[in-house]
Amino acid sequence: MAGKTMQAAQYHPDTNECRVNEVPIPDITDDEILVKIASASLCHSDLMLFNGSLPSGDRPITMGHEGVGYVERCGANVKGYKKGDRLGFLYIKGCCYECKGCLVHNLNCERGTASIQGFGCDGFFAEYAAVDYHNAIILPENLDMKTSAPYFCAGITGRSTAFHGVDSCGLKSGQWMAIVGCGGLGQMAIQFAKAMGLHVIGLDINDTVLQAAKDAGADIVLNSTKPDFVDELKKATNGGADAAVVFSAAQAAYDTAAKILQIGGVLMVIGLPSKPIQFGAIDLMRKLYQIRSESTGPPQQMPRAIEFIAKHNIKPTVSYYKLDQIHEMIEKMQTGKSTGRLAVVF
C-alpha cells in the first residue's frame, strides 16, 4: 500500500455537491478490515443525499454503499480472512449484530449507534474503505469483481434486496410476478424470479428499459403509460399478477401495482419515494392485496442470497466508469438515462 492518502468521491453538505478529494486512507478498528476497493456502484439511494431524503452529517462524506474489494489488512479481532481475499460486504456499522433489533435489521440495533456507510460515515467510492468484519463475505470465484458491487446494496435498496423481495413474496413455480420498474434492480429481480420458476411481466415507462427487461428474461413487457396495459396484463395472467415487486421510487408505480394484482396478491415495497407511500385503507380492509417489504437485512441473510446468485450465474448489466467520472454517473441516473447499473472500477 503506497502512500497514506487516496482519492475519494465525497458529498459536501455545505454546497450539496460531490467532489473527488485527496483524503487519508482510513484507519481501522480491531473489528474492521481495510479493503482495497475493486469496484463500487451507484444506487438511486445515493441520490437521496442531494434532495435531503437521507441527510449526511456536517462534514464531507465519502459516498457509496455498494462495493467489493480485496483484503488489505485485518484488525486484531478479525479471523478467517487474509490479505488478497476477494470480499463483498454490507455497510451498516456501529451496531452489535446480535441483539433482537439487529437480527431483524441492523438499523434497529438497541445500541442506537448504527450508521450507514456513504451517508452517516465514509463509504466505498474510494480507493480504500474500512469494513466491519461482520458485514464481509468471501466472494465465490465465478462472481466477477467488476460487476459484483451491486449485489451488496444493503438495507435501502439493492441486489440482495431484489433477491429477498422476490423470494419473500412466497410464490410457487408457475405463478405470475410483476416487476414494476425495470431498471438495474428490476432486471436483477427478473433473473431471480425466472430462476425460481416464475412467469414474469416487466412494467416500466421507458421502452429502452423494457427491452433490457426482455433481454433479462421477462416473459412479457408492458409500457405502463399505455391506456390498456392493465387489461393486457390481466388477460395474459388470467386475472392479475400473484405478486408485484415495486423497484420504482414513484408513487405512480405503487398505484400501478395495486391495480394489477389478483385479489389477495402481494404488493412488495422495495423502491423508496422521498415522501410516504399512500395506499387505500378501504382496499386493505377488503384485503384486495397485502403489503410486504424487504431489504437485504442483517449479514446473517447474506450467504443464502450470494449462494443463489453464484449457483444460477445471475449477473447485473453494468457500465464501467473511472472515479473522476462520478458526476457523469450521477447525472445519468438523475435523468433516467441509465438502463443498468453504473460502477466505478479502480
Side-chain angles (χ1 to χ4, degrees):
M1 184 171 60
K4 297 182 179 180
T5 62
M6 65 178 185
Q7 296 285 307
Q10 296 194 309
Y11 172 74
H12 287 253
D14 55 338
T15 58
N16 195 34
E17 63 179 348
C18 175
R19 302 179 204 158
V20 177
N21 298 325
E22 187 84 12
V23 300
I25 292 173
D27 294 324
I28 58 172
T29 68
D30 288 346
D31 287 342
E32 289 183 327
I33 301 169
L34 182 65
V35 175
K36 181 175 175 61
I37 299 295
S39 66
S41 50
L42 188 68
C43 176
H44 279 277
S45 300
D46 295 321
L47 304 185
M48 291 181 174
L49 285 168
F50 299 97
N51 64 24
S53 299
L54 280 174
S56 68
D58 56 3
R59 68 171 182 87
I61 289 289
T62 299
M63 293 178 60
H65 59 274
E66 300 179 355
V68 294
Y70 302 95
V71 173
E72 180 69 25
R73 180 162 49 88
C74 295
N77 296 337
V78 178
K79 310 297 181 186
Y81 300 102
K82 64 182 184 303
K83 184 172 181 176
D85 279 346
R86 295 158 25 99
L87 293 188
F89 32 84
L90 305 184
Y91 69 92
I92 298 175
K93 299 172 68 173
C95 49
C96 70
Y97 300 98
E98 58 186 21
C99 69
K100 183 178 179 180
C102 276
L103 294 180
V104 175
H105 195 292
N106 293 126
L107 287 178
N108 300 328
C109 183
E110 294 171 0
R111 288 180 179 175
T113 55
S115 182
I116 305 172
Q117 290 187 262
F119 297 92
C121 56
D122 289 328
F124 306 140
F125 279 121
E127 294 176 89
Y128 293 90
V131 172
D132 192 297
Y133 81 89
H134 295 88
N135 284 329
I137 188 171
I138 293 178
L139 283 179
E141 288 297 327
N142 67 322
L143 298 186
D144 188 342
M145 296 294 275
K146 291 173 66 177
T147 59
S148 291
Y151 298 138
F152 293 93
C153 179
I156 298 183
T157 57
R159 301 300 181 166
S160 293
T161 302
F163 170 77
H164 293 300
V166 170
D167 187 50
S168 294
C169 288
L171 300 193
K172 297 179 181 179
S173 179
Q175 289 187 287
W176 281 95
M177 174 171 284
I179 302 299
V180 184
C182 294
L185 301 182
Q187 291 164 38
M188 182 67 69
I190 289 167
Q191 293 183 65
F192 285 134
K194 293 304 297 179
M196 294 176 189
L198 304 178
H199 300 306
V200 180
I201 290 184
L203 297 177
D204 205 281
I205 62 173
N206 184 315
D207 286 334
T208 302
V209 172
L210 286 171
Q211 181 57 55
K214 189 70 173 176
D215 295 341
D219 298 286
I220 300 170
V221 294
L222 296 172
N223 190 312
S224 56
T225 63
K226 295 182 177 179
D228 59 349
F229 83 93
V230 173
D231 291 336
E232 285 189 54
L233 184 146
K234 290 192 173 182
K235 181 178 179 181
T237 59
N238 193 29
D242 299 289
V245 186
V246 183
F247 290 94
S248 170
Q251 176 64 48
Y254 285 96
D255 296 340
T256 291
K259 297 174 183 176
I260 62 174
L261 289 166
Q262 297 266 8
I263 290 178
V266 175
L267 195 163
M268 180 64 70
V269 175
I270 302 293
L272 300 182
S274 58
K275 296 181 180 179
I277 305 169
Q278 297 182 359
F279 295 106
I282 293 177
D283 290 351
L284 298 179
M285 178 271 291
R286 293 172 60 194
K287 298 184 180 180
L288 294 182
Y289 51 87
Q290 50 184 304
I291 299 172
R292 301 181 190 174
S293 186
E294 265 296 351
S295 69
T296 301
Q300 292 91 330
Q301 294 183 8
M302 182 167 50
R304 181 166 172 261
I306 297 304
E307 179 182 353
F308 189 94
I309 289 167
K311 178 180 178 180
H312 295 279
N313 199 32
I314 292 172
K315 296 184 181 300
T317 299
V318 180
S319 299
Y320 306 129
Y321 296 81
K322 298 296 185 183
L323 186 62
D324 61 8
Q325 295 176 292
I326 187 70
H327 301 98
E328 179 182 344
M329 296 167 63
I330 292 170
E331 190 273 338
K332 195 167 187 178
M333 186 168 284
Q334 285 176 328
T335 56
K337 295 177 181 177
S338 57
T339 58
R341 301 301 282 181
L342 313 175
V344 170
V345 176
F346 292 88

